[in-house]
């Protein structure tokens, strides 16, 4: 592989104008596709194979034209103190609001009158109007949303308390200036690391090109593949982080080759052949982790994984081709001023080497402190509660949350999470199911069955006594299913949440086995060792569990919540654990490949195990730390998002990278390798013969170059990664 990438790097360097033109053309083509594509809609959410999804599909079939996919809204009215919603004044205001909503937009499918639909609380203080739209929330026009808002404001001016909830108010997630700040921090880190604005600018430029192509492509295909707005945001988050990191490693290696005396084209080829090989395998681990999300069999999660994996592939291709081409334009200007004038200082006693020697002197102490520290942070993960967000998880200052609280106060805590029971049978069957549910302790109210035109399917609404996210409501879902016949199905947002969380839990172990297993084999090929990949996987598990513990502490318990803009605590997103495991595993293996590959190469070339560890840190620690700081900055930039899921994932990935890079890779890894000694690089002979030799370290490339007619003494030297 190193030989192939060496040739590719030299070719891109020589044909730099053509390569740059091709990437610019791809960016323009993707941009044109995004600009001319239909606007993205909210991605449909389904959980195949679950009872809630079966019920939803049955409703689609038996109740055609029911606007099941349309957005919904609830306008909640509360009378002033001492008055009731049934009094003439408030009733006239609500009646006028109903009429205004019906005529306010042609996207409205139906509007319920609270005085005929029994939507007035028993004490008369609260009433609500339900609106169903013909289209999804992302397809609602500004005029439609304005009519909804204006209706509430008009009623509010009469003295009523009016708040609006429902998914009709859903908007594309806003991240503000967070990502920009993250990119600026990345630029500062790169400038400090390289001492050259040109060298610092190249990774940022190429990462933005890659993300631009990836996001534009996702936008262009959004309508075709039903990709929601969250998909592109997550792809941007991951693509930007790995794009900067992969380019950073190639540029750093090119600078090392230049200072080693090689000509510019040769330096570009060697950078692509050695560091580029590590980039390829690091990228493969990330892609495996992201594509493996398909194991969960959740379409939304699968699309997110494939879209993010696509941006990673683009980042790898750009690092291998566009970076060498741009290095051709930059020349030796990627070096700092001192290096260009031959005043570079030897790095044999740099901070990385000194830290490695410290760890080698106290490996047991370092290992214990790292493991115990991460273990303590991981403790809150044992209290992990998962769920899907609803208006109850919104900040208390939002109208959605206020509407949620008004309904809860007026109609009971379970009113915001009704269960929809679908009976596939005749009236007798529906009556039996209704009677059974009315006798359940967890049910506050059960409506009479409503049949379709054919009379063969009925729907029954069950209002739980407790709030939607409570264990009592979850138990009620299971109790209805256990005691009802096979043709009775429970669905609705609360039941779907229960099924989704269960499916995520069931998929976690198979996903871990698939991803960790494939990556273990991949790392065995890279490192020619059994214990090093095993150590890498165990270190990842430690860092990701600690990161989950931090997420629980902040978002579920509220510790330091105000510092991170968490206004409302609640359950952790159901998909958060499996998604974070996938992404963090891929990113953790990046640092493992970049750091340990250099150690193995030094060991293979005759250095003692301890010396090899020091050599690896001398050449790679500074760059790996810079890459980790950049990735943390990029992920942390998304903590400012208005979308709770994006905020949570941004925090989780940032803290996980911090734990993995600075504690696991920089402390636990060298400590374990020091304790293992030569045994770390053990590989059975039969397995050594079986595994393909991909020459990640460039050993075979070094031999080829030294044996070529133009090979010099310098070419025979060890090629560092």
């Amino acid at each position: 592989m190193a030989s192939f990438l060496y040739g590719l790097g030299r070719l891109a360097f020589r044909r730099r104008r053509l390569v740059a033109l091709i990437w610019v053309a791809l960016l323009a083509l993707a941009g044109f596709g995004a600009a001319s594509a239909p606007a993205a809609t909210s991605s449909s959410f389904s959980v195949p194979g679950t009872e809630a999804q079966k019920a939803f599909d049955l409703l689609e079939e038996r109740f055609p034209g029911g606007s099941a996919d349309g957005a919904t809204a609830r306008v909640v009215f509360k009378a002033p103190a001492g008055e009731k919603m049934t009094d003439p004044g408030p009733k006239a205001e609500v009646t006028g609001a109903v009429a205004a909503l019906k005529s306010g937009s042609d996207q409205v499918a139906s509007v319920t009158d609270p005085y005929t639909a029994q939507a007035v609380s028993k004490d008369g203080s609260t009433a609500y109007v339900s609106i169903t739209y013909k289209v999804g929330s992302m397809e609602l026009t500004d005029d439609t949303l304005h009519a909804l808002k204006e209706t509430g404001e008009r009623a509010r001016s009469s003295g009523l308390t009016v708040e609006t909830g429902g998914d009709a108010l859903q908007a594309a997630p806003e991240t503000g200036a967070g990502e920009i700040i993250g990119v600026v921090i990345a630029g500062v880190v790169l400038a400090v690391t390289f001492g050259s604005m040109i060298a610092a600018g190249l990774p940022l430029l190429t990462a933005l090109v890659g993300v631009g192509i990836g996001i534009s492509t996702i936008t262009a295909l959004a309508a075709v593949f039903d990709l929601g707005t969250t998909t592109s945001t997550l792809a941007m988050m991951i693509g930007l982080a790995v794009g900067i990191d992969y380019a950073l490693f190639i540029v750093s290696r090119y600078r090392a080759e230049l200072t080693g005396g090689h000509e510019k084209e040769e330096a570009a080829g060697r950078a692509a052949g050695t560091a580029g090989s590590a980039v390829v395998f690091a990228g493969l681990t990330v892609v495996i982790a992201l594509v493996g999300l398909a194991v969960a069999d959740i379409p939304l999660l699968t699309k997110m994984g494939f879209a993010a994996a696509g941006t990673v592939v683009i980042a790898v291709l750009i690092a291998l081709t566009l970076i060498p081409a741009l290095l051709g334009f930059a020349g030796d200007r990627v070096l700092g001023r001192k290096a260009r004038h031959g005043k570079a200082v030897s790095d044999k006693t740099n901070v990385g080497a000194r830290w490695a020697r410290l760890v080698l002197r106290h490996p047991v102490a370092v290992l214990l402190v790292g493991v115990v520290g991460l273990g303590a942070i991981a403790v809150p993960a044992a209290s992990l509660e998962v769920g899907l967000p609803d208006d109850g998880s919104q900040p208390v200052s939002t109208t959605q949350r206020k509407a949620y609280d008004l309904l809860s106060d007026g109609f009971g805590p379970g009113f915001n999470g009704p269960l929809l029971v679908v009976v596939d049978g005749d009236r007798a069957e529906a009556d039996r199911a209704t009677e059974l549910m009315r006798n359940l302790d967890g049910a506050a109210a059960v409506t009479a069955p409503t049949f379709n035109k054919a009379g063969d399917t009925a729907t029954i609404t069950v209002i739980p006594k407790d709030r939607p996210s409570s264990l009592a409501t979850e138990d009620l879902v299971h109790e209805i299913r256990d005691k009802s016949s096979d043709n009775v199905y429970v669905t609705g947002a609360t039941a779907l949440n229960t099924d989704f969380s269960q499916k995520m839990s069931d998929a976690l172990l198979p996903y871990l086995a698939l991803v960790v297993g494939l990556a273990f084999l991949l790392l065995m090929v890279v490192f020619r060792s059994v214990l090093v990949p095993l150590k890498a996987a165990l270190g990842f598990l430690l860092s990701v569990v600690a990161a989950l513990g931090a997420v629980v502490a902040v978002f579920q318990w509220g510790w330091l919540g105000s510092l991170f803009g968490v206004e409302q605590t609640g359950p952790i997103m159901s998909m958060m654990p499996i998604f974070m495991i996938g992404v963090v595993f891929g990113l953790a293996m990046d640092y493992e490949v970049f750091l340990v590959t250099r150690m193995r190469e030094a060991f293979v070339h005759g250095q003692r195990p301890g010396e090899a560890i020091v050599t690896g840190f001398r050449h790679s620690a500074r760059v790996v730390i810079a890459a980790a700081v950049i990735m943390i900055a990029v992920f942390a930039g998304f903590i400012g998002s208005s979308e709770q899921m994006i905020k949570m994932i941004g925090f989780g990935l940032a803290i996980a990278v911090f734990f993995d890079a600075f504690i696991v890779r920089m402390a636990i890894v060298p400590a374990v390798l020091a304790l293992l000694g030569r045994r770390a690089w053990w590989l059975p002979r039969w397995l050594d013969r079986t595994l393909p030799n991909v020459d990640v370290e460039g050993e075979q490339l070094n031999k080829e170059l030294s044996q070529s007619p133009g090979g010099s003494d310098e070419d025979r030297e060890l090629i560092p990664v």
Side-chain angles (χ1 to χ4, degrees):
M1 173 176 290
S3 299
F4 169 76
L5 295 178
Y6 168 81
L8 179 63
R10 295 193 62 166
L11 177 63
F13 187 95
R14 288 196 307 271
R15 303 294 180 86
R16 48 187 173 271
R17 290 181 177 82
L18 176 61
V19 172
L21 182 62
I22 289 174
W23 281 108
V24 170
L26 289 174
L27 179 60
L29 182 63
F32 175 77
S36 57
T41 62
S42 53
S43 180
S44 59
F45 182 78
S46 61
V47 189
T50 61
E51 179 173 319
Q53 187 63 43
K54 291 178 182 177
F56 183 80
D57 294 339
L58 184 63
L59 287 174
E60 288 278 289
E61 176 187 347
R62 303 288 177 85
F63 290 83
S67 301
D69 293 330
T72 59
R74 274 179 175 173
V75 181
V76 187
F77 303 86
K78 183 177 177 62
E83 297 185 33
K84 293 185 177 182
M85 292 304 303
T86 51
D87 292 343
K91 185 173 182 178
E93 288 293 337
V94 173
T95 303
V98 170
L101 287 168
K102 287 181 178 179
S103 60
S105 170
D106 56 6
Q107 291 184 315
V108 174
S110 64
V111 180
T112 62
D113 186 331
Y115 300 103
T116 59
Q118 298 181 342
V120 180
S121 61
K122 290 182 179 179
D123 62 2
S125 66
T126 310
Y128 68 89
V129 175
S130 294
I131 307 103
T132 303
Y133 295 92
K134 300 175 183 177
V135 297
S137 59
M138 300 304 294
E139 299 169 90
L140 295 175
T141 63
D142 291 340
D143 291 341
T144 299
L145 294 175
H146 178 71
L148 178 62
K149 181 179 179 181
E150 188 178 33
T151 300
E153 291 178 349
R154 188 182 303 116
R156 192 178 291 115
S157 64
S158 67
L160 296 176
T161 298
V162 185
E163 304 295 345
T164 307
D167 61 8
L169 301 184
Q170 176 183 337
E174 299 175 359
T175 49
E179 315 95 303
I180 298 175
I181 295 173
V183 172
V184 170
I185 294 174
V188 172
V189 173
L190 289 169
V192 171
T193 302
F194 288 139
S196 164
M197 295 305 296
I198 297 293
L202 287 181
L204 290 176
L205 174 62
T206 55
L208 291 174
V209 170
V211 167
I213 294 173
I215 300 304
S216 296
T217 302
I218 291 172
T219 303
L221 300 176
V224 177
F225 293 104
D226 190 26
L227 304 177
T229 53
T230 303
T231 302
S232 60
T233 305
L234 294 173
M236 179 194 304
M237 181 190 301
I238 296 169
L240 193 59
V242 301
I244 294 174
D245 276 9
Y246 295 166
L248 166 64
F249 288 113
I250 300 291
V251 173
S252 177
R253 180 50 199 269
Y254 175 77
R255 283 160 50 94
E257 294 294 342
L258 280 183
T259 55
H262 292 293
E263 295 296 326
K264 298 181 181 66
E265 183 178 329
E266 178 69 11
R270 286 172 176 261
T274 51
S277 297
V279 165
V280 169
F281 278 92
L284 275 176
T285 59
V286 181
V287 169
I288 287 172
L290 291 171
V291 172
L293 292 171
V295 170
D297 192 27
I298 303 294
L300 176 63
L301 198 60
T302 300
K303 293 169 189 176
M304 288 164 57
F306 272 85
T311 62
V312 173
V313 171
I314 293 171
V316 171
L317 294 176
I318 283 180
L320 298 176
T321 57
L322 184 57
I323 282 292
L326 295 180
L327 289 173
F329 291 111
D332 59 4
R333 285 177 294 176
V334 296
L335 298 174
R337 182 174 300 176
K338 291 183 178 180
R340 289 201 299 271
H341 292 86
K343 298 180 181 179
V345 180
S346 173
D347 67 342
K348 291 184 179 179
T349 57
N350 64 12
V351 175
R354 291 199 299 270
W355 169 254
R357 291 192 184 97
L358 175 63
V359 174
L360 289 176
R361 287 196 298 269
H362 310 284
V364 175
V366 171
L367 180 61
L368 287 177
V369 170
V371 172
V372 172
L374 289 180
I377 298 172
V379 168
S383 302
L384 175 69
E385 296 178 7
V386 295
L388 291 178
D390 56 18
D391 286 347
S393 63
Q394 296 277 356
V396 293
S397 59
T398 62
T399 185
Q400 296 98 316
R401 174 59 188 273
K402 291 177 180 177
Y404 180 96
D405 291 340
L406 286 176
L407 288 172
S408 180
D409 294 340
F411 296 88
F415 190 80
N416 284 292
L419 305 178
L420 182 62
V421 179
V422 182
V423 181
D424 184 11
D426 56 16
R427 183 168 294 278
E429 185 77 30
D431 289 340
R432 283 194 297 271
T434 303
E435 185 63 26
L436 182 151
M437 288 180 287
R438 283 175 175 165
N439 292 325
L440 299 179
D441 292 336
V446 179
T447 66
T450 301
F451 283 85
N452 62 346
K453 291 183 178 180
D456 59 357
T457 307
T459 59
I460 305 166
T461 300
V462 179
I463 306 298
K465 289 182 179 178
D466 213 336
R467 56 191 173 85
S469 58
S470 70
L471 291 176
T473 300
E474 184 177 332
D475 291 340
L476 177 61
V477 172
H478 293 306
E479 189 176 10
I480 294 174
R481 289 172 173 173
D482 293 341
K483 294 184 177 181
S484 300
S485 58
D486 293 339
N487 59 337
V488 176
Y489 307 97
V490 184
T491 188
T494 303
L496 191 64
N497 180 19
T498 301
D499 291 348
F500 181 80
S501 300
Q502 185 61 50
K503 191 157 188 176
M504 288 290 96
S505 300
D506 294 342
L508 193 58
L509 287 180
Y511 175 71
L512 272 176
L514 172 68
V515 172
V516 176
L518 288 176
F520 181 84
L521 294 175
L522 191 64
L523 293 179
M524 246 193 334
V525 171
V526 173
F527 296 130
R528 319 298 297 180
S529 165
V530 173
L531 295 180
V532 171
L534 179 61
K535 173 265 307 169
L538 293 177
F540 148 74
L541 290 175
L542 187 59
S543 60
V544 79
V545 174
L548 279 174
V551 169
V552 170
V554 173
F555 288 88
Q556 185 176 310
W557 292 357
W559 292 5
L560 301 177
S562 58
L563 180 64
F564 299 102
V566 180
E567 298 184 32
Q568 180 62 36
T569 59
I572 305 303
M573 284 285 300
S574 298
M575 69 175 69
M576 180 70 182
I578 194 170
F579 184 82
M580 198 165 82
I581 285 171
V583 176
V584 174
F585 183 82
L587 299 179
M589 295 306 103
D590 280 5
Y591 302 123
E592 183 76 13
V593 169
F594 289 124
L595 186 62
V596 181
T597 297
R598 182 62 184 92
M599 298 179 191
R600 179 186 180 274
E601 184 190 345
F603 177 78
V604 168
H605 283 80
Q607 291 188 6
R608 294 192 302 272
E611 293 176 338
I613 293 172
V614 175
T615 299
F617 270 76
R618 177 184 298 123
H619 288 284
S620 304
R622 185 182 183 188
V623 177
V624 168
I625 289 174
V629 171
I630 289 168
M631 199 170 282
I632 291 169
V634 171
F635 288 147
F638 288 84
I639 296 176
S641 174
S642 61
E643 178 69 34
Q644 182 81 344
M645 184 177 74
I646 301 297
K647 181 191 293 287
M648 192 180 295
I649 290 178
F651 172 82
L653 294 183
I655 200 72
V657 170
F658 174 80
F659 291 154
D660 195 88
F662 289 95
I663 300 179
V664 174
R665 307 303 153 190
M666 287 291 151
I668 294 177
V669 164
V672 172
L673 291 177
L675 293 173
L676 289 175
R678 292 183 176 274
R679 289 169 295 180
W681 309 106
W682 170 78
L683 185 69
R685 290 184 178 179
W686 65 268
L687 189 56
D688 188 31
R689 292 191 298 268
T690 304
L691 295 176
N693 189 352
V694 293
D695 191 29
V696 173
E697 303 90 353
E699 184 179 356
Q700 184 62 36
L701 172 62
N702 190 47
K703 292 179 181 178
E704 293 174 3
L705 293 174
S706 64
Q707 294 169 3
S708 64
S712 64
D713 291 338
E714 205 168 47
D715 292 329
R716 297 182 177 90
E717 294 178 357
L718 175 67
I719 299 178
V721 174

